[in-house]
Amino acid sequence: MNSSRVADASPRPSVTILGVRVHALTLLQTLDWIEAAVTARRPRQICTANPEFVMAARHDAEFRAVLNAADLVLPDGVGLLWAARRLGAHLPERVAGSDLIYRLAERAGALGWRVYSMGAAEGVAAAAAERLRALYPGLVVAGAFAGDPSPASASAVVAGVRAARPDVLLVAYGAPAQDKWIAKHKDELDVPLSMGVGGSFDFVAGVARRAPVWVQRAGLEWLHRLWRQPWRARRIFTAVVEFPLAVLLAGGKSD
């Protein structure tokens, strides 16, 4: 076994950024952790955090508690890597949910995992699931359903997921709704691995377009989003102005 592989799904080294714990894993280590979690069959939750998550958690105690109780919190944003360095710590690389969903589907196909996709606009989860199955023919689509995070529909949604018996549940309700929903229902869902994926289904299904790879690598994906989705200006301002300022004002060392 390669020494970089994660042998189990136990807690990993982490960095605390403005009160939110973020785990220090690479994409490959994340996939190995997920494989161990699916094998262990105990319900676990992954959150893909970015600077917006961290800033939202400062004002939302419930969301902060969900993030800090999650089994794995991934650094989905170059701003978190910068913040870790500023605080005297280290996150090895960005693990973006929009990249992870492909690699996870690839491994699921290779190992015969059942994957259930839930959330996004009507039909998008199903289209994303079919696209992933076309890319990775071994992938077993256990189900695809728009659903919603409202308490009124929770019992029916949970029953539907349980009946499908997935190994992996991908939830695209948007943050913080998706992460709170998973945390609340994780145990009754009885799914080995549940993860919030935000807008990833839109990218997979072709409803939205990600920035070119060179833009992502330059850390300018926010600028591409601002250009294509100007209505996100307030959220982008939070991520690229308010977050760095908060980190600079915090000073000190990370945990």
Side-chain angles (χ1 to χ4, degrees):
M1 178 181 289
N2 189 301
S3 61
S4 67
R5 290 177 66 89
V6 175
D8 56 47
S10 61
R12 309 307 305 166
S14 64
V15 176
T16 297
I17 300 173
L18 300 180
V20 173
R21 184 182 48 131
V22 181
H23 290 94
L25 272 73
T26 64
L27 176 58
L28 176 59
Q29 288 173 329
T30 299
L31 290 168
D32 290 336
W33 188 97
I34 290 172
E35 183 176 337
V38 171
T39 300
R41 313 304 299 175
R42 180 173 68 81
R44 289 180 168 91
Q45 177 177 7
I46 291 181
C47 299
T48 56
N50 58 32
E52 286 181 54
F53 278 53
V54 174
M55 294 302 287
R58 300 187 85 193
H59 307 289
D60 184 337
E62 180 189 358
F63 187 33
R64 184 168 64 251
V66 166
L67 291 174
N68 287 329
D71 299 280
L72 206 62
V73 178
L74 301 173
D76 185 351
V78 294
L80 297 185
L81 274 62
W82 168 82
R85 291 195 301 270
R86 181 74 188 182
L87 296 169
H90 176 67
L91 293 171
E93 65 182 37
R94 180 189 182 196
V95 183
S98 297
D99 296 325
L100 177 59
I101 193 171
Y102 288 100
R103 303 285 72 82
L104 192 158
E106 180 180 35
R107 187 160 298 197
L111 297 175
W113 297 345
R114 299 171 58 81
V115 178
Y116 195 110
S117 301
M118 184 166 68
E122 190 66 41
V124 173
E130 287 306 312
R131 173 59 178 159
L132 291 172
R133 180 157 56 184
L135 290 171
Y136 311 108
L139 177 66
V140 180
V141 175
F145 177 54
D148 71 80
S150 69
S153 62
S155 60
V157 171
V158 169
V161 173
R162 285 181 62 91
R165 300 178 293 105
D167 299 296
V168 175
L169 173 65
L170 305 176
V171 183
Y173 288 155
Q178 63 192 15
D179 308 283
K180 291 180 179 181
W181 191 92
I182 291 171
K184 184 174 182 179
H185 301 290
K186 179 178 70 173
D187 291 335
E188 59 184 315
L189 285 165
D190 198 30
V191 178
L193 192 285
S194 297
M195 180 172 74
V197 296
S200 295
F201 291 161
D202 289 340
F203 294 132
V204 175
V207 174
R209 184 181 303 172
R210 285 191 76 186
V213 174
W214 71 267
V215 174
Q216 297 175 42
R217 290 176 177 169
L220 296 174
E221 195 166 6
W222 63 269
L223 189 58
H224 181 268
R225 287 189 175 185
L226 181 61
W227 170 56
R228 297 190 64 89
Q229 300 173 319
W231 55 267
R232 297 175 65 103
R234 181 68 186 95
R235 293 173 58 183
I236 291 170
F237 181 82
T238 296
V240 303
V241 177
E242 294 181 349
F243 172 76
L245 181 60
V247 172
L248 291 173
L249 291 174
K253 297 287 185 178
S254 86
D255 292 351

